[in-house]
Amino acid sequence: LSLCLGPDPDRDSVAYREAIELAVREANAAGGPLPGRRVDVVVADSCYDPALAASEAQRLIDAGAVAILGDGGSSTTLAIARDVASVARVPLVSCSATSVLLTEFNARSTTMSGRFFARTAPPDDRQAEVLADIVRNEGMCTRLAILHQADEYGMPLARDITAGLMGSGTMVVATIDYDYGSASYTPQVTEVAAAMPDCVALIAYPREAGIILRNWEALPSAPVVRWIGGDGLRSSDFLPQAGSAARIDGFLGSAPVTDLAAPEYQTFRDRLRGAYARPDTYEPRPYTANCYDAAALVLLGIAEAESTEGDAIRD
């Protein structure tokens, strides 16, 4: 399941799909994970809607899907894991859903036999440590405000950043949430500005971040702040959504990035460039390699199990 491919596709979604399709193409070229059986990729859109994500996952499984790769977001992935994959006993592997609530979801299943969710991206308790370190040491913040999505991605990450700053000399002066998909966030940025922070941690995706930065700029007397972003903003979509390079100048942030020096990564990057006629300067977007890995692990699981049965693949 993708983020939102639709008529105006999210570029992360396209990159994720291409990486998954590359792994499948390579497996099929080698004869498939099972003798005489090729793998088909069926793509479905969730567009960050948990209910839609769950219904689309169920539709795919009802049509014969033996594994789910996705979803792009944490809220949608949690809905699939809880309501569909664990019930149908079908493996679900995400390459970009980072919420610690997914870790907790697995932990609530006391035996491995009940767990069907896995991921190839690091969870956000690790990212929170890095963001807290950036706030302390790079941002030189003494008064931090956290502006975050009111969902399974934003809320735990904001909580863990706050915990990581305990006793550090940095005071969290405001923690404000907002709903994904709104046309304006002026009330929220006004509340942040009133707390007089010197740094703002922005847990957002590019569209919402662009609106927030424009709303901030429009305030009559907003304090000068250093902006610090989470992994959702490490995207080439961020600049177009912000509308101006000046608005994001000086942004700090975090994101899990594959070791560019690793020969395995360089080999993957070169194969991806060749498969999709990308220029030699093309670098895969964050989580693209994770998506290839997610698909490869499922394919290898099928080959090792010599079966498409869910428990066997998972094991």
Side-chain angles (χ1 to χ4, degrees):
L1 277 83
S2 66
L3 299 181
C4 196
L5 286 167
D8 182 23
D10 177 289
R11 282 179 282 185
D12 285 332
S13 298
V14 174
Y16 299 168
R17 183 191 64 192
E18 288 180 347
I20 289 168
E21 289 176 341
L22 175 63
V24 170
R25 182 186 304 182
E26 292 174 345
N28 284 337
L34 295 175
R37 296 181 67 182
R38 293 174 55 83
V39 175
D40 289 330
V41 178
V42 181
V43 178
D45 286 349
S46 70
C47 296
Y48 290 114
D49 182 332
L52 178 59
S55 67
E56 285 293 270
Q58 187 65 59
R59 179 179 65 83
L60 295 179
I61 291 171
D62 290 344
V66 300
I68 299 291
L69 295 167
D71 188 272
S74 291
S75 299
T76 41
T77 302
L78 185 59
I80 298 168
R82 180 188 61 230
D83 300 335
V84 181
S86 61
V87 177
R89 302 187 72 82
V90 168
L92 165 66
V93 185
S94 175
C95 57
S96 61
T98 56
S99 174
V100 296
L101 297 184
L102 287 157
T103 308
E104 295 167 9
F105 171 78
N106 263 5
R108 286 194 294 274
S109 181
T110 55
T111 64
M112 287 297 293
S113 66
R115 298 178 186 174
F116 284 84
F117 170 73
R119 57 180 159 195
T120 55
D124 277 336
D125 53 349
R126 301 293 181 259
Q127 181 176 195
E129 294 175 10
V130 175
L131 284 169
D133 187 62
I134 291 171
V135 168
R136 286 192 305 266
N137 300 320
E138 304 294 332
M140 306 300 289
C141 305
T142 59
R143 296 175 59 83
L144 176 72
I146 303 175
L147 184 56
H148 66 90
Q149 292 180 189
D151 63 5
E152 286 80 357
Y153 167 56
M155 292 187 292
L157 187 49
R159 176 199 66 197
D160 290 346
I161 293 170
T162 301
L165 291 170
M166 292 291 290
S168 68
T170 298
M171 180 185 303
V172 178
V173 294
T175 303
I176 311 299
D177 61 45
Y178 64 88
D179 292 326
Y180 177 84
S182 297
S184 173
Y185 298 103
T186 297
Q188 290 87 352
V189 299
T190 300
E191 192 172 353
V192 169
M196 295 301 293
D198 53 17
C199 290
V200 179
L202 180 56
I203 311 303
Y205 295 122
R207 175 191 175 275
E208 280 59 42
I211 296 171
I212 285 168
L213 292 176
R214 288 191 292 275
N215 292 160
W216 182 269
E217 193 174 84
L219 293 177
S221 57
V224 177
V225 298
R226 166 62 66 86
W227 292 89
I228 298 170
D231 62 314
L233 296 183
R234 189 180 172 89
S235 167
S236 59
D237 292 324
F238 186 24
L239 176 57
Q241 292 291 346
S244 165
R247 289 195 181 107
I248 64 173
D249 184 38
F251 243 90
L252 297 173
S254 68
V257 178
T258 307
D259 181 359
L260 300 181
E264 296 87 352
Y265 176 80
Q266 293 175 349
T267 300
F268 158 72
R269 179 197 60 198
D270 292 344
R271 293 203 310 271
L272 193 70
R273 288 172 177 171
Y276 297 102
R278 298 287 190 265
D280 290 344
T281 55
Y282 173 79
E283 289 294 341
R285 300 165 77 85
Y287 297 115
T288 303
N290 304 69
C291 289
Y292 178 91
D293 287 348
L297 286 168
V298 168
L299 293 164
L300 290 167
I302 292 170
E304 179 70 15
E306 299 181 344
S307 170
T308 57
E309 194 271 328
D311 284 66
I313 298 170
R314 186 275 316 278
D315 292 343

